[in-house]
Amino acid sequence: MATKTVPARSDIAQEHKWNLEAIYPQDAQWEDDFSTISPLIQEVAGYKGRLGESADTLLSTLELRDRIGEQLSKLFSYARMRRDEDNTNAQYQALTDRALALWTRVQESTSYLNPELLELGVDKIESFMQENEALRLYEHEMDDLFREAEHMLSEREEALLAGVGELSSGPETTYDMLTSADMTYGTIKDEEGSEVELSQGRYFRYVRSSDRRVREDAFHTFHDAFRRNRNTIASTYSTQVKSDIFYAKTRKYGSALEASLSHDNIPVSVYTGLIDAVHENMHLMDRYLELRKRQLGLDELHMWDLHVPLVPEADEEIPYERATEMVTNAVEPMGKDYLSGVRQGFGSRWTDVFETNNKTPGAYSWGVYGVHPFMLLNYQDNLRDVFTLAHEMGHSMHTYYSFKTQPFVYSEYTLFVAEVASTLNEEMLIHHLLETTESRDVKLAVVNYSLEQFRTTLFRQTMFAEYEKIAHERAEAGEALTADLLSQIHYDLNKLYHGKGIVVDEDVAIEWARIPHFYRSFYVYKYSTGISAAVALSQQIINEGQPAVDRYLGFLSKGGSDYSINLLRDAGVDMTSPQPVRQALHMFGKRLDQMETLLGAPVA
């Protein structure tokens, strides 16, 4: 039997490759833009100490900063996406490194802005806005700046922090090198008894195996690799936490959690309220685990039994063109304008579709202001990847509306709202498939996918969020974050979040060591709040129709022009209340009902 090899990029049809020429037709144009940045950096640095001269001077400085930012974004995006096509391409590795170095120069050259603006004061800036109406564009930015005034440092201190910014990424870089380049993950025997080497990517293939022996071996072997490196990884993570605490103290925040959330103006009560709401509904996880144990025919459920699908995955192959039709049909309730944008994306080579040699794995959406969004996929002709396509198109439509409506300064939306649009598209696809398909197998696969989204995104990510909160609190109290302490925290949380329905195996204690998101501190909770907001908004669109669509498109169009909490509230969901999280958990219960009905099991 011939081995199916990963194709070369040259083997892929043009229509299935993204059109990066829309950014720069040739590399020469990239070089031209790159060469013009240095004089602009010198020009913007020349405004240092002059912001208070006049309204016109202030406006010129901010407009120049935005011009540099827009051009730099194009330079970096093009270089990085070209590199992602083939990570062995030295030419685009070099372009990416040059763009990153330029980014640091720009940050250093503009580090005087915020301290000078704060020194000018609200009254002076308001008088400038009255003199020159064009400055009103920056009203929200100024409001956001002065909101955090007490946490800003002197010009010299801000310059120092900007200059050492690369050092704070050291723990993540070390962790990535250790886990991606230096660590080995052992071998197991696959379903046919052949010896196979585990990797981070292959682990998920084998831990989802229908052969219980294979997934148990994969679970133990994979976690053994992290246990062997537990002290090194504990050191890198402890340094990450210390870095968070250092920045929080330096900027006079009460805690690292408060400092992280303050950037998006998110009350700490949103974070703690999420954890509390999930704690209140642990009975749903008990019910889910009981269903899983019953469906898999097991006397005892273990941690390595969590990833195998509850039902056989639909084996129907779904070509990419059909996947685009499925996503397009699913978002039809979003209205003609949204539908037109989706069709434009599918028809205008926004997407790099298929896996090729040395291409970056996974999937993402990346916007380039003044051009359009781009999507990287590694599409594999299955239902799971149809959901990935819907997810990334949700991100892209958020970017599409934001770029179309907002000036550059507000074109980027916050990470707090970033997962809302993507997950909402998935919810629309789930609803569409359950309403239109006649196949029981497909319905089972769709409901299984939905249940896994709730388990892994709402419950699991909230558990990780609580882990980060506890680890930072223990470090802030002066405790050393040893491998033993971190493992105990993680083990205890797994027992809490999985209740009595599963044997919490000792190996799961080391799982914290394999979570790369912990090096983007206090990020994972946004997945949980994102799915909660998405469920609420998708239900409004399905049940209310046009009024809900109009609110939602307004949300997409506002980019970063207001605070995240306000944007979502205007769309129809109040994340300062636990209600959206409870509504999402209620939907999880409803999907459990659907699964049990389809399986013919009694509804609890």
Side-chain angles (χ1 to χ4, degrees):
M1 180 177 174
T3 301
K4 185 177 180 181
T5 59
V6 177
R9 189 161 186 82
S10 58
D11 296 332
I12 304 299
Q14 192 77 350
E15 64 265 25
H16 292 143
K17 299 176 186 176
W18 53 20
N19 180 29
L20 297 187
E21 290 80 8
I23 310 173
Y24 291 110
Q26 295 178 331
D27 290 353
Q29 279 88 359
W30 188 94
E31 294 289 356
D32 289 343
D33 255 12
F34 187 91
S35 67
T36 64
I37 287 271
S38 286
L40 295 178
I41 291 174
Q42 293 175 0
E43 185 179 347
V44 78
Y47 282 105
K48 181 179 178 181
R50 297 177 52 201
L51 298 189
E53 283 182 0
S54 67
D56 290 345
T57 299
L58 177 57
L59 179 63
S60 296
T61 308
L62 295 176
E63 288 179 338
L64 179 58
R65 178 206 61 181
D66 292 349
R67 178 184 166 193
I68 294 170
E70 183 176 344
Q71 191 166 322
L72 185 56
S73 175
K74 284 180 64 179
L75 287 165
F76 178 73
S77 298
Y78 178 83
R80 178 58 188 268
M81 286 191 282
R82 281 294 188 206
R83 193 190 81 178
D84 285 344
E85 293 175 349
D86 179 0
N87 283 283
T88 65
N89 189 312
Q91 177 186 355
Y92 294 117
Q93 290 174 4
L95 259 59
T96 302
D97 289 345
R98 288 168 62 195
L100 282 170
L102 195 61
W103 209 302
T104 299
R105 283 184 58 201
V106 169
Q107 288 179 314
E108 290 173 347
S109 71
T110 57
S111 63
Y112 69 88
L113 277 171
N114 286 346
E116 275 196 40
L117 288 166
L118 290 169
E119 190 175 339
L120 284 179
V122 174
D123 292 341
K124 184 68 171 178
I125 291 174
E126 176 59 34
S127 71
F128 279 168
M129 288 181 177
Q130 291 176 6
E131 289 179 37
N132 191 328
E133 194 64 26
L135 274 170
R136 288 286 176 197
L137 171 66
Y138 298 97
E139 199 161 11
H140 174 64
E141 182 186 3
M142 295 301 117
D143 180 69
D144 199 29
L145 173 66
F146 281 94
R147 175 182 65 83
E148 296 237 83
E150 63 181 299
H151 305 296
M152 295 294 174
L153 307 177
S154 70
E155 180 184 329
R156 182 173 179 276
E157 289 168 330
E158 289 290 347
L160 280 171
L161 284 185
V164 302
E166 288 185 64
L167 298 180
S168 64
S169 65
E172 181 179 14
T173 301
T174 302
Y175 177 83
D176 287 345
M177 289 298 101
L178 175 66
T179 57
S180 299
D182 295 340
M183 280 176 61
T184 57
Y185 297 94
T187 61
I188 63 168
K189 292 188 184 298
D190 67 11
E191 294 85 350
E192 284 74 43
S194 301
E195 195 90 358
V196 292
E197 184 178 2
L198 284 182
S199 65
Q200 292 197 70
R202 285 181 174 179
Y203 169 68
F204 292 100
R205 145 80 173 86
Y206 292 111
V207 83
R208 299 179 79 246
S209 174
S210 58
D211 187 325
R212 197 179 191 209
R213 192 269 308 162
V214 170
R215 61 181 187 261
E216 180 179 355
D217 287 352
F219 183 84
H220 289 310
T221 303
F222 188 67
H223 285 90
D224 276 346
F226 289 93
R227 186 180 294 103
R228 290 194 300 272
N229 292 275
R230 63 202 297 268
N231 294 314
T232 300
I233 299 175
S235 176
T236 61
Y237 182 62
S238 176
T239 303
Q240 174 68 47
V241 173
K242 288 174 182 176
S243 174
D244 298 334
I245 294 170
F246 164 75
Y247 280 104
K249 285 183 175 179
T250 301
R251 293 197 179 278
K252 306 179 185 68
Y253 287 100
S255 67
L257 175 60
E258 181 189 330
S260 178
L261 269 59
S262 182
H263 179 72
D264 291 336
N265 198 21
I266 305 297
V268 172
S269 60
V270 171
Y271 198 100
T272 56
L274 165 69
I275 294 171
D276 291 342
V278 172
H279 282 190
E280 292 166 7
N281 287 274
M282 290 298 190
H283 63 281
L284 291 171
M285 180 55 68
D286 291 339
R287 185 178 158 199
Y288 169 82
L289 293 173
E290 182 57 38
L291 171 64
R292 174 167 281 276
K293 183 168 68 173
R294 185 171 68 240
Q295 180 62 15
L296 295 178
L298 300 175
D299 295 329
E300 200 172 63
L301 196 69
H302 284 260
M303 302 303 292
W304 55 82
D305 298 316
L306 281 177
H307 300 281
V308 61
L310 276 172
V311 294
E313 295 188 324
D315 57 4
E316 177 187 11
E317 288 195 1
I318 305 173
Y320 177 70
E321 283 68 23
R322 183 167 166 231
T324 64
E325 291 177 13
M326 292 167 68
V327 173
T328 303
N329 292 336
V331 299
E332 196 168 338
M334 312 285 284
K336 291 181 180 178
D337 192 67
Y338 190 92
L339 207 55
S340 173
V342 169
R343 286 176 174 147
Q344 179 183 335
F346 285 142
S348 303
R349 292 179 57 204
W350 287 8
T351 311
D352 207 72
V353 180
F354 297 115
E355 181 183 19
T356 54
N357 276 330
N358 303 311
K359 179 179 173 180
T360 291
Y364 64 64
S365 171
W366 193 316
V368 181
Y369 191 79
V371 187
H372 56 68
F374 293 87
M375 292 181 286
L376 179 139
L377 301 176
N378 286 272
Y379 188 78
Q380 297 291 328
D381 289 359
N382 57 48
L383 183 62
R384 182 171 293 273
D385 279 11
V386 179
F387 278 104
T388 300
L389 176 62
H391 183 99
E392 300 307 335
M393 182 54 83
H395 281 309
S396 293
M397 290 306 294
H398 197 170
T399 300
Y400 170 80
Y401 275 99
S402 178
F403 283 8
K404 186 168 69 168
T405 312
Q406 295 298 324
F408 178 76
V409 66
Y410 300 130
S411 60
E412 295 289 338
Y413 41 85
T414 69
L415 291 174
F416 184 79
V417 301
E419 294 301 327
V420 175
S422 54
T423 310
L424 184 139
N425 261 23
E426 290 194 65
E427 281 295 311
M428 298 302 293
L429 180 58
I430 289 168
H431 174 77
H432 170 72
L433 292 175
L434 291 178
E435 289 291 310
T436 59
T437 187
E438 297 295 328
S439 167
R440 176 177 174 271
D441 288 346
V442 172
K443 285 186 176 181
L444 280 168
V446 170
V447 175
N448 178 71
Y449 177 86
S450 178
L451 289 174
E452 283 303 284
Q453 287 297 95
F454 281 113
R455 181 184 72 80
T456 58
T457 306
L458 191 47
F459 284 91
R460 183 172 167 82
Q461 299 301 331
T462 301
M463 180 182 74
F464 287 159
E466 188 167 3
Y467 171 86
E468 289 188 275
K469 178 176 178 289
I470 294 171
H472 281 78
E473 287 173 346
R474 300 287 279 269
E476 285 165 340
E479 291 188 60
L481 296 185
T482 64
D484 286 345
L485 176 61
L486 294 170
S487 296
Q488 189 62 53
I489 293 169
H490 193 68
Y491 184 78
D492 290 345
L493 284 172
N494 268 275
K495 290 187 73 173
L496 173 64
Y497 276 76
H498 293 96
K500 60 186 180 212
I502 192 169
V503 177
V504 181
D505 304 279
E506 289 186 11
D507 272 354
V508 83
I510 197 64
E511 185 187 42
W512 61 270
R514 70 172 182 84
I515 309 301
H517 277 95
F518 287 162
Y519 295 86
R520 299 181 69 185
S521 301
F522 304 113
Y523 175 81
V524 295
Y525 89 100
K526 297 170 186 177
Y527 288 114
S528 302
T529 55
I531 193 174
S532 300
V535 167
L537 292 173
S538 64
Q539 289 302 301
Q540 290 173 21
I541 289 168
I542 291 165
N543 296 324
E544 295 179 32
Q546 197 59 47
V549 169
D550 291 342
R551 292 195 304 269
Y552 180 67
L553 297 187
F555 158 73
L556 297 183
S557 300
K558 290 174 184 175
S561 63
D562 199 353
Y563 297 117
S564 302
I565 291 292
N566 296 343
L567 292 172
L568 286 170
R569 186 182 288 118
D570 290 345
V573 59
D574 182 4
M575 293 309 298
T576 64
S577 159
Q579 189 55 34
V581 180
R582 289 172 180 162
Q583 187 174 349
L585 289 162
H586 176 76
M587 179 61 75
F588 178 57
K590 182 179 177 182
R591 295 271 157 80
L592 281 169
D593 293 343
Q594 289 173 305
M595 177 60 84
E596 291 178 324
T597 299
L598 286 165
L599 291 172
V603 177

